[in-house]
Amino acid sequence: MIDERILLGFPIDFKDICQIYPPTVNDVVGNKDFGIYQSLFTMTQEELDKAFLQDERVNQVPTPFQYLLINYYQDEKVREKIHEAFNQFIHEPVTIVPEIEMLLIGKSEDELDPNVDLEEPRLLTEENYFEFQNMIRQVVGVEMEKPPDPEEENLDPRIKRYKMKIKQSEEILKKKKAKNAPTFGTLLTAICCMGIGLNPLNIGEISYACVQWLIAMEQQKEEYDIDIRALLAGADSKKVKPKYWIKNIDEKEL
């Protein structure tokens, strides 16, 4: 579903905690670490299970929020990337408050005054982090995740390992399809050829998510035009039924 705020590059309010800013094409192409920023905030529980449960000795897998905090505490280089990622997406500094193990929005470590800043704090917590992740997915044009199933989360690690093996064949097929997908540069070039006023000099200013939406909408328009031309050429109207192209985009098709 196209969100008009993301389309036009306006920030989205995340509760009363912060605003999340859609990255532009320039933000993505001009920063070699953008993929790291995105993965830091969109890591799923399934991906963590897959990574940790490869080790037969592991019985407890961290949640995405716990994993973020672990990296923040233990790896100085990753901590730097986490700060950069927050600056990219919310345009504000953050710090971990050790006493409560939550992320405080709006203050860096050297600015934090516990006596003042913790009176009405804006916090990212285990409880709201999944929703925060989904909003990040929205602004980068990635399909949102469904909330974790409590029953799945509480499964014995041995059962989780078995289920992961079953999914491996599906993932292989997905990777094969991804190999045949157009590159991001190809998509940008295609948009510049649409005749809608975008060209290499200004396409970097549109939102990153907008790229996929423009391509998908153009495909819908082309399918409609082809069906109309087929009917005019004498195609069977019982077999060819044009669907008007101005309709919501199915995210699963992106």
Side-chain angles (χ1 to χ4, degrees):
M1 187 73 69
I2 294 175
D3 187 307
E4 61 274 13
R5 297 166 298 177
I6 299 172
L7 177 72
L8 299 177
F10 288 103
I12 299 178
D13 291 328
F14 175 57
K15 302 180 182 297
D16 56 354
I17 297 174
C18 64
Q19 289 186 311
I20 299 177
Y21 291 77
T24 65
V25 169
N26 280 339
D27 289 331
V28 176
V29 176
N31 191 329
K32 61 181 177 57
D33 290 329
F34 185 85
I36 297 174
Y37 303 162
Q38 179 174 326
S39 63
L40 281 170
F41 292 151
T42 58
M43 176 74 69
T44 65
Q45 189 63 56
E46 183 177 350
E47 289 170 333
L48 288 172
D49 287 344
K50 189 186 303 180
F52 279 85
L53 293 177
Q54 297 294 333
D55 187 339
E56 298 285 341
R57 298 168 297 177
V58 172
N59 291 314
Q60 185 69 37
V61 179
T63 66
F65 185 69
Q66 290 169 343
Y67 187 64
L68 185 74
L69 296 189
I70 289 169
N71 280 288
Y72 189 97
Y73 275 125
Q74 296 182 353
D75 192 316
E76 187 174 343
K77 289 184 178 179
V78 176
R79 181 187 306 179
E80 181 181 341
K81 298 304 177 188
I82 290 173
H83 281 298
E84 291 175 5
F86 274 109
N87 281 326
Q88 170 67 65
F89 284 108
I90 70 172
H91 296 189
E92 289 190 89
V94 300
T95 189
I96 283 185
V97 184
E99 295 82 1
I100 54 178
E101 290 198 343
M102 296 177 182
L103 281 165
L104 177 69
I105 305 293
K107 292 287 182 178
S108 59
E109 291 181 13
D110 56 345
E111 296 175 323
L112 181 63
D113 182 349
N115 296 322
V116 177
D117 298 321
L118 296 183
E119 291 181 0
E120 294 183 1
R122 293 182 289 137
L123 298 170
L124 273 182
T125 68
E126 183 71 71
E127 287 69 31
N128 63 26
Y129 188 65
F130 177 80
E131 189 177 345
F132 175 81
Q133 284 188 298
N134 262 343
M135 292 194 73
I136 295 292
R137 293 184 182 103
Q138 272 190 293
V139 300
V140 296
V142 176
E143 185 176 356
M144 291 191 292
E145 293 286 324
K146 294 180 181 178
D149 184 343
E151 292 185 5
E152 287 287 329
E153 294 300 302
N154 295 325
L155 285 175
D156 185 287
R158 292 170 295 181
I159 298 176
K160 284 187 176 182
R161 289 188 184 98
Y162 176 74
K163 287 194 169 188
M164 283 192 299
K165 290 179 180 179
I166 295 176
K167 288 184 178 180
Q168 283 179 347
S169 59
E170 298 176 2
E171 292 174 356
I172 292 172
L173 289 174
K174 286 182 180 179
K175 287 181 180 179
K176 285 183 178 179
K177 289 182 179 179
K179 285 183 180 180
N180 298 324
T183 65
F184 189 58
T186 298
L187 297 180
L188 294 179
T189 304
I191 292 172
C192 290
C193 295
M194 288 181 184
I196 57 175
L198 290 173
N199 58 63
L201 298 178
N202 61 19
I203 196 169
E205 300 169 12
I206 69 173
S207 67
Y208 178 54
C210 182
V211 172
Q212 294 284 355
W213 295 337
L214 285 172
I215 292 292
M217 191 63 72
E218 178 69 13
Q219 288 174 336
Q220 289 182 174
K221 184 176 183 295
E222 286 181 353
E223 290 171 3
Y224 175 76
D225 289 342
I226 289 171
D227 285 345
I228 291 295
R229 288 197 294 269
L231 289 175
L232 292 174
D236 188 346
S237 61
K238 292 182 180 180
K239 295 181 180 179
V240 179
K241 297 180 179 181
K243 295 180 180 179
Y244 193 52
W245 63 276
I246 300 180
K247 60 182 179 179
N248 290 332
I249 296 170
D250 185 353
E251 289 185 351
K252 293 181 180 179
E253 296 177 357
L254 292 180

